[in-house]
Amino acid sequence: MSRRRALGIVGLGGLAAALALSGCQTQPSTAGAAASSSPTPSPSAARPKTPAEALARLKDGNARFVAGSAIHPDQDAERRHAVDEHQEPWALVHGCVDSRVSPELLFDQGIGDLFVTRTAGTVLDDTIVGSMEFGTGSPYEVPVLVILGHTGCGAVAATVDAVEANRDNPAAPGEVIDIVKEIAPVVRRTKPLEDKAAYVDEVVRANVISVVDALLERSKIIRDAVDAGRTKVVPAVYDLDTGQVTWL
């Protein structure tokens, strides 16, 4: 049994069939069918208590978003007042700072549902890991933690260019170099493709898996939560064109 599976991480799988984003021409798909057949959670639905329940809630929300049938739960004044003194988020999403990748929107969730951390290229640093530990530890103990990359990631593309220009010592301005240094080892391990865009997306997939491994290696708090079955850490990639989240 691999370390990744033993630690409760969803195994690698093939890409799901692409779905068209709301407003574009759509085709029938299994994800769309899931959106129509799954019960629609009402605002303030019961907090998912297990990793499986939390992951299903995220998948259902993304299916609604892709199908153009988002319900925008927990986003009114009543919800805002209900959580002004107490929060019970049930998932943490660590994603990219990209303005097109807003977790509450693409998972169709609302105020108080998600902890969200974001860095360019979905990389880790000490404060980000500490924030994840804050959400994974007591009293919140979120049952699922998603490491979310996205297609066409600019931080990844810039790192690919920097590594191609100087494999051993890639350059970047200012403290952007810290981001490049985090992603560059993944670029070096990923076999180049003739199609540059496809290569960038391949690095994105490899990078989120690498971030999951690094997080579990780095954080005993999160590793213990996973070992106890309280939390599942899941790598995923969001498609900017279709709106579909592929779970790796």
Side-chain angles (χ1 to χ4, degrees), residues 10 13-21 30-31 55 57-67 93-94 100-108 146-151 205 208 234-248:
V10 173
L15 288 175
L19 296 174
L21 186 61
T30 56
L55 191 57
R57 181 79 62 88
L58 292 175
K59 289 180 177 180
D60 285 347
N62 180 243
R64 293 193 303 273
F65 174 73
V66 170
V93 180
H94 176 55
R100 300 163 292 180
V101 189
S102 300
E104 287 89 351
L105 295 180
L106 64 94
F107 289 119
D108 193 26
V146 179
I147 304 299
L148 184 67
H150 67 90
T151 59
R205 286 188 284 272
V208 293
V234 188
V237 174
Y238 172 72
D239 191 301
L240 292 177
D241 181 45
T242 67
Q244 178 79 22
V245 172
T246 296
W247 305 90
L248 304 179

Side-chain angles (χ1 to χ4, degrees), residues 120 123 125 172-182:
V123 300
D125 64 24
E175 295 193 22
V176 174
I177 189 61
D178 291 339
I179 299 167
V180 169
K181 287 179 177 178
E182 291 293 325

Side-chain angles (χ1 to χ4, degrees), residues 47 79 83 86-91 112-113 140:
R47 180 185 189 271
R79 173 65 170 181
V83 298
H86 177 69
Q87 63 172 333
E88 289 186 312
W90 47 267
D113 292 329
Y140 301 111

Side-chain angles (χ1 to χ4, degrees), residues 54-248:
L55 191 57
R57 181 79 62 88
L58 292 175
K59 289 180 177 180
D60 285 347
N62 180 243
R64 293 193 303 273
F65 174 73
V66 170
S69 58
I71 61 173
H72 308 292
D74 297 333
Q75 295 182 15
D76 57 11
E78 180 180 358
R79 173 65 170 181
R80 188 175 69 244
H81 296 315
V83 298
D84 64 353
E85 294 184 356
H86 177 69
Q87 63 172 333
E88 289 186 312
W90 47 267
L92 189 155
V93 180
H94 176 55
C96 182
V97 296
D98 193 292
S99 63
R100 300 163 292 180
V101 189
S102 300
E104 287 89 351
L105 295 180
L106 64 94
F107 289 119
D108 193 26
Q109 303 303 322
I111 300 169
D113 292 329
L114 308 177
F115 278 128
V116 176
T117 58
R118 300 173 74 171
T119 58
T122 324
V123 300
L124 299 178
D125 64 24
D126 290 345
T127 58
I128 288 294
V129 173
S131 297
M132 293 179 182
E133 291 177 338
F134 176 79
T136 306
S138 179
Y140 301 111
E141 296 184 346
V142 293
V144 68
L145 193 161
V146 179
I147 304 299
L148 184 67
H150 67 90
T151 59
C153 180
V156 170
T159 303
V160 168
D161 289 342
V163 171
E164 288 178 347
N166 189 331
R167 183 176 179 84
D168 295 326
N169 190 27
E175 295 193 22
V176 174
I177 189 61
D178 291 339
I179 299 167
V180 169
K181 287 179 177 178
E182 291 293 325
I183 303 173
V186 180
V187 175
R188 296 187 190 102
R189 293 195 301 266
T190 304
K191 184 178 179 180
L193 301 174
E194 290 186 10
D195 185 325
K196 184 67 170 289
Y199 179 49
V200 168
D201 289 348
E202 190 66 24
V203 176
V204 167
R205 286 188 284 272
N207 186 58
V208 293
I209 293 169
S210 178
V211 169
V212 168
D213 289 341
L215 177 63
L216 291 169
E217 185 68 28
R218 193 167 179 167
S219 173
K220 184 177 186 303
I221 291 174
I222 295 174
R223 189 167 62 249
D224 287 350
V226 170
D227 288 341
R230 295 194 311 271
T231 299
K232 180 167 287 190
V233 183
V234 188
V237 174
Y238 172 72
D239 191 301
L240 292 177
D241 181 45
T242 67
Q244 178 79 22
V245 172
T246 296
W247 305 90
L248 304 179

